[in-house]
Amino acid sequence: MQAKETLFADLVQGRAQQFQVPLYQRTYSWTEKQLGQLWSDVLEQAELLESGDRASTHFLGSVVLAPSPQNEATFPRWLVVDGQQRLTTLSLALAAIRDHIADAKPDEAERIDEEYLINKRKGGSDHFRLLPTQADRPQFAAHVRGPLATQTAGGNVAAAYGFFRRKLVEADDPAAPQDVFRIEQAITSRLTLVAVTAERGDNVHRIFESLNNTGLKLSQADLLRNYLFMRLPTRGEHVYETYWLPLQESLSNDELEQLMWLQLVLDGDDRVRRQDLYAAQQHRFERREVTEAEIEAYIRELYRHSTLFRRLLHPQEEPDTAVRARLRRLDAWQAQVTYPALMLLLDRRERGELASSEAARAMSYIESFLVRRMICRVPTNNLNRVFQSVPGQLPTDVPVADGLHRLLSADNRFWPDDKELRDKIRTAPFYQYGRWHQRKMVLQRLEESYEHPEPLDFAAAQLTIEHVLPQSAGDEWMRMLAEDANAPDSAEDLHARLRHTLGNLTLTAVNSELSNHPFERKQGLLQGSHLEMNRRIAATERWGMREILARADEIADRATTLWPAPLRGVGRAERSRDWQLAHQVLAVLPHGTWTSYGDLAAFLGSGAQAVGSHMANTAGLTNAYRVLTSEGKVSDGFHWTSPDEGGDVRARLSADGVHFTVNGAADPAQRLTADDLALLVASGGDEQTDGEDTADGQGGQTRADRFFRQLAADDSPETVEAVRATFKGWEELGGWIGHGSGHTTTSAYLMLGEAGAPGRGIWPLTLYPGGGRGGTAEVVFQHLAAREPFTDRTLRAELLRRLNELEGVAIPEGKLELRPHIRLSLLEEDHNRKLLAETLAWFRERWESRDTL
């Protein structure tokens, strides 16, 4: 057996060879969680390459190889005993890079193919450098061979390839542009592997067990503590009792590690990674002979900084009122990324170089930077770099607060100005971006700006976000919108475009009462609200497009005052970010789906005509032909923008799994709405379930009572009884019913797992009252994709197959990564109710046997 450190390029490049994953190995199983971590490591290495740092590579893990029984002297074949997930993932990432650049740089695409993916002069299965398990081979081969239009949907292989295609489009974002060839270099020559090569007769499985039998690893803080006190032979006991022990008692081990990292950043090291903390600090101490006094001084400074750091973690410990308010808001925002800048401000104030009022002003710029970027949907992928660079880049020729204002206003920081902020408040689907607590905080700050004489206790009020124009609008709402619609916009287009914008959102503690009722009924409830913003809404006569846009303008006036603008005179790329988001979502349209210009426009916060114009004038846009009119027809103005494309659009759509009705329109069941598009690029869900069916302060009424009352207001008694029977059957299977909070209407979750432990369980369906259009059951495929054992796509596909056996249900395979809906009225049929009960029993059995699958 031989073990050596190597790189992916060194492992697979060179002469023709093949790495075979044995048939007994599990199929490819990496999900977005593992892919996201790898992508983060790749981007980090790409940034290090950009900075010229070629020393600090990233260790990816081990690969255990053994000679294949089909080995030939002229064509080496290796069995991949361990490491197939890593090799498959890296190969798919390179295939995605190849396809990303294929139109612009075909020679480079061919180079990537021949260097890493194929054996050019070999045919059949020997053509591929990596040969996955038999179950994964068709999909893997399809992505290596291409073209994509001929591929079928399926599996984790396709999902991983789609993930990298999306991330490569995202990496072109002008807010944080990444050179795609630097990303390729990071993958092939900056991710180190330990290749363990066995000889014939070696027990490769024992090698695998030994490599994976690791104990509890020491943290970076543990390593650095041991190093420091080994260097204190005479002062160690005093330093430990005086500084280290109080420090260790005031912070957790993880917090202490973070503080040590922040101290390096404050000293100007804007490239150090937290996982390299120990090595970086050790290197600083060993550049020269360091005395015990210097080691003690470092620990004493760490101890001093710990008091400041605790104020970031626990803002109530901050003595100054204005600074405390700023810290509380940033803590509520969960803005840990800003800690380097905040620590610098508190440290300068501690040293007497900054007054508390100036520290609070500087923090207002940080808050504005975050809030404006969130409202304007600027990606967050460069925030770490922005704030880590603050201590080293802060101007020294102006006061600290002014210097921070100038630094964050630099043209590569993308801090939206007043014009862009106003535009996005009017048009962007605010409800679909950022995290739920951030959206709530924006609305809370807007309410506070009215300076009510009796301020509301927001912590105790349990407010949630309410759509005034409902998410599911009934006929009366649609008639009102029709009055505002001008061709080519329809009432449906206006509803999709306006419902999630800031002008249509407010805070309330009576979401269930407001629900989806007509505006006249909502007016009375809003008029009695303690919130000024609600009383202003109630004072209007109607609630259509004009009123929503007028309120958006009022909000914009307050927002530009609340959150200071960047300094003028810097160049911006405002609109390109919106189109970047369009390119990103189009690149990952699932097989067998299409969307409309109106849906894409509502997702972007734009207009359908602007979307059509952009697509008609942008060459090489992936999946542009899968954007159709709202009727499912190819637009009269559609044309191919690249000479390499062409042919019949319907034929291309059919090859992509899109079906057509008898009148020649694309199947409406395969259409992705604006909400579906948002799910495709969502970073996580905001599901909130509560395990206890407790009274919620509304006359002792439980959430279950509210759910069935809302359901009965819209559905027939037969549907309500069918849902009750379904709940009873689920509880007999050992499940329980959870109810959501923070939604416009109440909801019910069919839960498995520990009751009362939100986030730990699993659920196949979420049921919602209809609000005028009939109740629905949401099939949460997207949620299941991150929960064992349903990370296995074949299990999710089986769930879809079983649900499609219900009469009236036809969920297309293209929605297997989304959250399609089923009408609850279908459960009135005994046959459907029986099939659903069997499906739920199957689901429970799969979950309970998850550790043995």
Side-chain angles (χ1 to χ4, degrees), residues 248-290:
Q248 198 164 261
E249 289 175 344
S250 68
L251 298 174
S252 69
N253 199 62
D254 183 71
E255 292 165 350
L256 178 56
E257 183 176 297
Q258 190 172 17
L259 175 61
M260 290 173 162
W261 172 77
L262 283 168
Q263 186 138 320
L264 277 171
V265 175
L266 288 174
D267 288 341
D269 192 339
D270 65 354
R271 292 285 182 174
V272 65
R273 301 179 301 172
R274 186 167 163 180
Q275 60 263 42
D276 295 334
L277 162 66
Y278 169 63
Q281 190 61 64
Q282 182 185 36
H283 176 70
R284 293 186 66 173
F285 282 137
E286 293 184 351
R287 282 182 297 188
R288 58 183 178 80
E289 282 296 321
V290 179

Side-chain angles (χ1 to χ4, degrees), residues 21 55 106 108 126 178 237 320 400 468 486-487 612 620 622 624 681 752:
V21 179
E108 291 294 330
D126 289 347
Q178 292 282 349
E237 186 172 339
D320 183 80
V400 173
V468 184
N486 294 310
T622 304
V681 294
L752 289 172

Side-chain angles (χ1 to χ4, degrees), residues 91-111:
S91 297
L92 290 170
L94 289 165
I97 290 175
R98 175 202 64 193
D99 295 341
H100 183 75
I101 64 172
D103 291 338
K105 299 187 177 180
D107 292 342
E108 291 294 330
E110 184 178 3
R111 173 188 61 78

